[in-house]
Amino acid sequence: MNRMLQRISLGLLLILLPGCTEVSMPVEHKKEPVHELTFWLFPGSGLEPLIEAYEQEHPQIRVHLHTSSYPELSNKLQTTLASGNGVPDIALVEISFMERFKELSGSFENLLDYGAGARAKEFLPWKWQQASAFDESFLLGLPTDIGPIAMAYRRDYFEQAGLPAGPAEVAAQMSSWDDFLDTADQVQRETGKYMIDNLDMLYRVILGQAEEQYYDKNTGELIVHRNPEVYRAWSAVMKAKEKGLTAGLPMFSPEWSRGLQQGEFAVAFAPSWMIDILKKNAPDAAGKWDMTFIPQIASNYGGSFLTLPKGGEHPQEAYHLIDWLTQAEQQVQLFKANGNFPSMPELFSDPVIMEHTDPYFNDAPTGQIYSQIASQIKPTYEGSDQFLIARVMFDVLRKVEQERIEPEEAWEIAMQQIQIELGQELP
């Protein structure tokens, strides 16, 4: 009873005292549940800082990153989808594997169900189509970057060889691949330096200029053995080997890194995403390199998509994240920080990109160069076994480079090996 009187008295006192207001009792706020997302990606994507920024803006989201090489990631993803165990919420898929996973579209969330269709016009039409079903009823992934290829070159080696060293003059000197090989001869004679790091990249760049490679873009039929564009690229590479123009350094290997550091080759074919790799491997060569256009027409190497495998625990939250990661602001940040070139044509003329220069490449206007290349890229159709066939071709090229296979025998060996890998005769 005394306690009741004390409470009433205290209440009256608070009301009667001048300047006092009603006391409000604290209200407990319900915390939002934390959603943990598993995100599979491969090295060099540059997405990690952006994901961290997203977590800071969305404290209810925790992202667990798992990194694998892109072939390993894709193979592991296919196995995981088949078993249904340990499926990630988000998986980054490289273009070489998109057709394979489009055939398994039932194992992925249809991003059109999440409203992704409203964003179609933001992206390059061919890039969007690479992730779409033929009838456009299904969208497997949101586009991240593309890989326009520029030609980085050592100004000092071109000058020592008595050649023009300015970007416009170098591009004019090598307007065709025959011109390129002739110039490479002169560089090697006069400087003792190889022109290219390996046959793989030369083959990739030339083949990347073709609208059709290993598959017919209209029918999906395998045409690797009878496509003149494939043979044209192959023949140019064999000619480079016969002339001794390659340093024979496997791409991204320790030997390649040392060769870059020690200046063993004069040219590096550089997709935009490779810029940071060149800088990190040979920081002391800053200013010795410059940049211009490759011979003939534009070429593309790489580019990826963010997908939602079916079975992830939080598909709606996962979609919000990939939608944010592929917005224009984030694509510009990725270019500035990592060299990833946007897949949004509206950004090709963005001042941040167009005014971007790089002191590593003698203050070359790298933003302008990549924007011009990106606007000229003709899309290449990549079929369901694209990666497998490419792996065979590159394996034979490396054996040619190591002089384990003679150049004149290489084509036939590659075609035979493709038949074995596919378990079928070439039609």
Side-chain angles (χ1 to χ4, degrees):
M1 188 69 171
N2 289 338
R3 288 182 181 173
M4 180 65 72
L5 289 171
Q6 286 174 353
R7 288 177 184 171
I8 294 170
S9 300
L10 178 60
L12 289 170
L13 181 63
L14 290 171
I15 293 170
L16 294 172
L17 282 173
C20 287
T21 58
E22 185 180 350
V23 176
S24 58
M25 301 300 289
V27 178
E28 287 190 16
H29 292 284
K30 207 172 187 181
K31 288 186 179 178
E32 289 188 66
V34 173
H35 299 296
E36 298 192 356
L37 304 179
T38 304
F39 196 135
W40 288 7
L41 72 170
F42 38 82
S45 71
L47 292 171
E48 294 89 340
L50 291 176
I51 294 169
E52 185 177 340
Y54 185 85
E55 285 181 304
Q56 292 173 357
E57 293 180 13
H58 301 79
Q60 77 279 16
I61 299 296
R62 297 285 183 274
V63 183
H64 301 283
L65 301 178
H66 297 265
T67 304
S68 310
S69 68
Y70 72 85
E72 181 185 348
L73 186 155
S74 298
N75 291 331
K76 184 170 66 171
L77 180 58
Q78 189 167 354
T79 302
T80 302
L81 291 173
S83 69
N85 297 319
V87 176
D89 294 279
I90 301 170
L92 185 64
V93 175
E94 204 267 344
I95 178 57
S96 301
F97 295 91
M98 283 300 284
E99 286 300 317
R100 177 191 295 184
F101 286 122
K102 281 163 73 172
E103 293 176 356
L104 303 173
S105 60
S107 298
F108 289 86
E109 298 286 345
N110 183 356
L111 301 189
L112 297 178
D113 295 339
Y114 294 82
R119 300 193 59 196
K121 293 183 179 179
E122 297 176 27
F123 299 93
L124 289 162
W126 59 264
K127 181 74 173 178
W128 185 265
Q129 188 57 50
Q130 285 175 333
S132 300
F134 182 75
D135 62 0
E136 299 186 350
S137 63
F138 192 96
L139 183 70
L140 184 68
L142 285 178
T144 56
D145 61 325
I146 57 175
I149 302 173
M151 187 172 73
Y153 67 96
R154 288 284 298 255
R155 287 182 65 97
D156 50 346
Y157 294 165
F158 275 65
E159 289 168 351
Q160 291 171 28
L163 292 165
E169 292 81 10
V170 170
Q173 170 93 11
M174 295 186 287
S175 59
S176 72
W177 288 109
D178 285 338
D179 292 340
F180 176 87
L181 295 178
D182 291 342
T183 302
D185 255 341
Q186 185 169 341
V187 168
Q188 185 155 338
R189 282 197 315 270
E190 299 299 329
T191 68
K193 303 293 182 180
Y194 295 104
M195 186 67 157
I196 56 174
D197 43 6
N198 55 68
L199 298 180
D200 287 22
M201 275 303 290
L202 180 60
Y203 176 72
R204 284 183 190 273
V205 174
I206 301 175
L207 186 61
Q209 294 176 326
E211 291 186 56
E212 290 182 322
Q213 297 181 3
Y214 305 138
Y215 290 88
D216 185 293
K217 65 180 180 180
N218 296 314
T219 65
E221 183 184 0
L222 186 65
I223 58 171
V224 56
H225 57 301
R226 55 184 172 83
N227 183 357
E229 293 296 327
V230 176
Y231 195 73
R232 178 180 71 91
W234 189 267
S235 298
V237 169
M238 292 302 110
K239 190 174 179 181
K241 172 58 181 174
E242 289 165 351
K243 287 175 169 285
L245 305 177
T246 169
L249 305 172
M251 206 66 200
F252 308 130
S253 67
E255 295 81 10
W256 181 84
S257 297
R258 284 195 295 271
L260 187 62
Q261 292 163 10
Q262 295 168 7
E264 293 182 17
F265 47 90
V267 162
F269 296 113
S272 51
W273 49 261
M274 193 190 289
I275 292 300
D276 200 49
I277 296 172
L278 294 174
K279 292 178 182 179
K280 286 179 177 176
N281 277 279
D284 295 339
K288 295 178 180 177
W289 289 88
D290 210 321
M291 185 176 288
T292 191
F293 302 97
I294 63 172
Q296 297 184 182
I297 61 175
S299 185
N300 185 78
Y301 171 21
S304 303
F305 301 82
L306 289 168
T307 70
L308 305 184
K310 194 170 282 186
E313 293 185 12
H314 307 291
Q316 190 67 58
E317 289 77 13
Y319 178 76
H320 287 158
L321 174 53
I322 67 171
D323 179 60
W324 184 85
L325 287 171
T326 53
Q327 294 287 339
E329 182 179 351
Q330 280 64 254
Q331 293 218 12
V332 170
Q333 285 189 44
L334 268 175
F335 173 74
K336 289 174 63 180
N338 206 55
N340 300 28
F341 201 81
S343 53
M344 295 177 161
E346 70 173 77
L347 297 180
F348 295 178
S349 57
D350 187 285
V352 174
I353 291 177
M354 289 298 288
E355 296 170 9
H356 185 78
T357 60
D358 198 323
Y360 189 90
F361 297 97
N362 196 43
D363 291 321
T366 50
Q368 290 183 27
I369 291 171
Y370 282 119
S371 291
Q372 185 172 333
I373 297 167
S375 65
Q376 297 172 355
I377 291 172
K378 294 181 179 180
T380 294
Y381 174 72
E382 303 200 12
S384 58
D385 285 313
Q386 180 84 13
F387 181 79
L388 187 153
I389 296 170
R391 187 179 65 190
V392 170
M393 301 295 269
F394 292 133
D395 180 62
V396 173
L397 284 176
R398 290 180 192 118
K399 288 176 180 175
V400 170
E401 199 148 43
Q402 297 162 0
E403 300 184 350
R404 295 162 57 192
I405 293 177
E406 294 297 323
E408 58 270 19
E409 300 172 351
W411 177 261
E412 190 60 35
I413 291 172
M415 295 305 105
Q416 290 172 358
Q417 190 60 37
I418 288 170
Q419 290 185 112
I420 293 170
E421 290 289 334
L422 295 180
Q424 67 179 68
E425 291 188 8
L426 296 177

